[in-house]
Amino acid sequence: MNRFLAPVAVAATSVLAVAAVTSMAVLAAPADDSLVIDGELEMSTRVAPIEGHPLPEVISGWHYRTEDTRALQQDSFDNPGMLGVEEGEEYWNKVEGTMGKSCASCHGDASESMVGVGASYPKWSEKLGKPINVELQINHCRVENMGAEPYKFDKGGQKPLTAFIKHQSQGLPVELNLEEGEMQQWWERGKETYYRRTGQLNLSCATCHEDNNGKYIRADHLSQGNVNGFPTYRLKQSNLISLHNRFRGCIRDTRAEYPAAFSDELMGLEVYTTWRGTGLSVETPAVRQ
Amino acid sequence: MLIASTLVAGTVAPGDVKIENIAVSESLTGMAGNASEGRKTFANRKLGNCLACHANADLSEQLFHGEVGPSLDGAGARWSEPQLRAIMVNAKAVFSDRTIMPAFYSLEVGENVRKDLIGKTILSAEQIEDLVAYLLTLK
């Protein structure tokens, strides 16, 4: 199956104009629609929640977007995030660092070696003594196995390479292994962060994404805040947006100080929010407004 | 510049406001609010940003009214002035601890408040009074 090899070189500028025209639906419920990529890859976008989940149904953020935005994600030609994935493939093959290696030198064909990675991270790292996500794994490999500088947050190849790697799992269900190492403790820690009310506005993730999902907050249709589509392509910014950038933006909006990317606090939150999306298909790169 | 929480003489400090029976009977400034200023504070995204959560037909010229809270059409008929003041000061003390509506004149806020906002309320006593006056016009 050729799921990762959709032709991506076609520029998607014309469709952006269409997507910019947002039409606010009168009905606030998540759209009753199904996500099939290129007419063949069926995505699980509404699934039964994993045991212990507070919501009756787990729903992908895709359902909360407008028809135009949803359509962009249905077609790999139209999905502007695929350009980022293609750029990521170039980074995958790029030799860097003192050891004269690229990712491909060790991992070969990503379409074989990277399948499932995006569906199972963050995972426990014995070596680091904490959970590791795809971005940190890339940096770890760059330093230890390539003799290259780690990417700074959201810089260099970090977003496209992460998107490229996660895209190899497109369609696979998210499933974390919380049995390994201290994953359970990090899950607990992330859960605390999720329900902690922060900032002058005194809001938690749950206030918006658990108690009020499905409603409009001004022009924004609140989703469940699932993370299965990251890095996502945001039409507003015409760029890939990383998960930790999204976390920081949401926390900032409560008028709080926000934690550093990849801090223990946000790594816990990544473990917990990823778990909440168990069973949803990896959608990277999802398209958002 | 938009943070108007410096206490003006004669106003009740946020910690001293008493909410009794879902009501704050006295004006926080000792004076009546200005409804047309209140209308601006209501719509301003940096101030009340009330449209984020509430529809309000009186502001139909503004696009995108939120629906997280109830429509405020008729709010001035449903609630008395002291009740509206209580809702504006601290909605959590009126509705429930879990309400998403922020407390606009209270220092009972969340954790890790942005450094430049520590010790400051979202709106000033004067802005609260303006909003109360405005809400009372929504019959």
Side-chain angles (χ1 to χ4, degrees):
Chain A
M1 186 173 51
N2 222 0
R3 76 165 85 91
F4 35 79
L5 279 185
V8 291
V10 183
T13 36
S14 58
V15 286
L16 292 186
V18 179
V21 187
T22 44
S23 51
M24 192 170 126
V26 183
L27 260 186
D32 188 11
D33 198 350
S34 51
L35 176 57
V36 182
I37 310 279
D38 300 334
E40 55 181 32
L41 180 59
E42 276 184 45
M43 310 288 265
S44 301
T45 55
R46 304 185 88 123
V47 297
I50 189 168
E51 202 194 322
H53 197 297
L55 293 171
E57 188 183 20
V58 176
I59 306 173
S60 158
W62 181 79
H63 283 282
Y64 296 80
R65 306 281 56 95
T66 61
E67 206 177 332
D68 296 335
T69 307
R70 290 202 307 279
L72 285 177
Q73 205 185 316
Q74 304 250 32
D75 188 323
S76 302
F77 280 107
D78 291 344
N79 182 339
M82 289 303 290
L83 293 171
V85 168
E86 197 191 43
E87 192 192 338
E89 184 168 18
E90 286 165 22
Y91 281 105
W92 177 263
N93 292 309
K94 190 171 166 194
V95 173
E96 276 184 86
T98 55
M99 302 179 197
K101 287 183 186 152
S102 69
C103 311
S105 315
C106 292
H107 299 288
D109 184 351
S111 69
E112 286 164 15
S113 64
M114 293 294 124
V115 174
V117 167
S120 60
Y121 271 56
K123 69 173 209 183
W124 184 249
S125 162
E126 204 56 60
K127 206 162 180 183
L128 302 183
K130 61 179 208 174
I132 191 166
N133 62 7
V134 173
E135 288 89 335
L136 292 179
Q137 181 66 59
I138 291 169
N139 273 352
H140 186 72
C141 283
R142 284 177 63 86
V143 173
E144 301 290 320
N145 305 324
M146 294 167 72
E149 290 286 315
Y151 291 130
K152 296 205 174 75
F153 175 51
D154 275 356
K155 293 279 157 53
Q158 187 169 77
K159 284 190 287 177
L161 196 46
T162 301
F164 174 69
I165 291 170
K166 288 203 177 174
H167 181 66
Q168 308 310 315
S169 301
Q170 192 187 42
L172 296 178
V174 170
E175 192 181 2
L176 289 188
N177 184 352
L178 295 179
E179 310 284 303
E180 273 187 46
E182 293 161 24
M183 285 296 276
Q184 193 62 45
Q185 277 116 288
W186 284 79
W187 179 93
E188 292 285 353
R189 169 180 213 152
K191 184 177 178 187
E192 269 167 39
T193 304
Y194 194 86
Y195 287 99
R196 182 184 306 139
R197 301 182 78 127
T198 59
Q200 194 188 37
L201 300 185
N202 207 355
L203 304 167
S204 71
C205 313
T207 323
C208 288
H209 294 295
E210 187 171 308
D211 300 345
N212 287 290
N213 82 76
K215 295 184 185 157
Y216 278 91
I217 189 160
R218 202 73 202 243
D220 276 325
H221 196 191
L222 281 171
S223 73
Q224 295 182 351
N226 282 312
V227 303
N228 56 311
F230 281 86
T232 55
Y233 185 89
R234 266 195 100 181
L235 299 164
K236 248 188 231 167
Q237 274 129 311
S238 311
N239 211 336
L240 289 176
I241 299 300
S242 67
L243 179 58
H244 286 233
N245 183 37
R246 178 83 242 186
F247 284 163
R248 283 155 57 99
C250 280
I251 296 171
R252 186 198 56 216
D253 287 348
T254 71
R255 301 192 182 170
E257 295 292 327
Y258 46 89
F262 313 132
S263 59
D264 288 354
E265 196 173 342
L266 293 191
M267 288 306 298
L269 195 56
E270 181 170 351
V271 169
Y272 180 70
T273 51
T274 306
W275 170 85
R276 282 177 77 110
T278 300
L280 291 175
S281 297
V282 174
E283 290 178 25
T284 312
V287 184
R288 300 293 184 252
Q289 81 284 25
Chain B
M1 115 210 108
L2 286 164
I3 301 143
S5 50
T6 341
L7 219 51
V8 179
T11 64
V12 186
D16 295 337
V17 186
K18 296 221 167 27
I19 300 183
E20 276 158 357
N21 297 324
I22 318 186
V24 177
S25 43
E26 303 287 321
S27 162
L28 302 175
T29 59
M31 294 189 292
N34 175 331
S36 69
E37 281 304 312
R39 188 173 189 269
K40 290 183 208 153
T41 302
F42 190 102
N44 188 321
R45 286 170 193 261
K46 298 236 160 81
L47 294 175
N49 197 20
C50 313
L51 287 176
C53 298
H54 295 286
N56 175 2
D58 181 51
L59 283 162
S60 53
E61 77 269 17
Q62 300 263 345
L63 290 174
F64 305 125
H65 295 201
E67 51 175 26
V68 167
S71 158
L72 294 183
D73 297 348
R78 280 194 293 281
W79 303 91
S80 69
E81 177 183 321
Q83 287 173 330
L84 287 172
R85 189 175 290 113
I87 294 172
M88 294 318 310
V89 165
N90 187 355
K92 300 208 171 21
V94 174
F95 301 119
S96 100
D97 215 29
R98 278 201 72 175
T99 182
I100 187 174
M101 180 159 158
F104 287 95
Y105 195 68
S106 165
L107 294 177
E108 287 169 36
V109 290
E111 294 178 34
N112 304 329
V113 171
R114 215 172 76 200
K115 287 207 179 68
D116 59 317
L117 297 175
I118 291 173
K120 297 181 173 161
T121 56
I122 302 171
L123 296 177
S124 68
E126 196 183 357
Q127 288 165 333
I128 298 289
E129 291 306 325
D130 292 346
L131 277 170
V132 170
Y134 173 60
L135 291 170
L136 283 168
T137 69
L138 304 178
K139 302 279 183 182

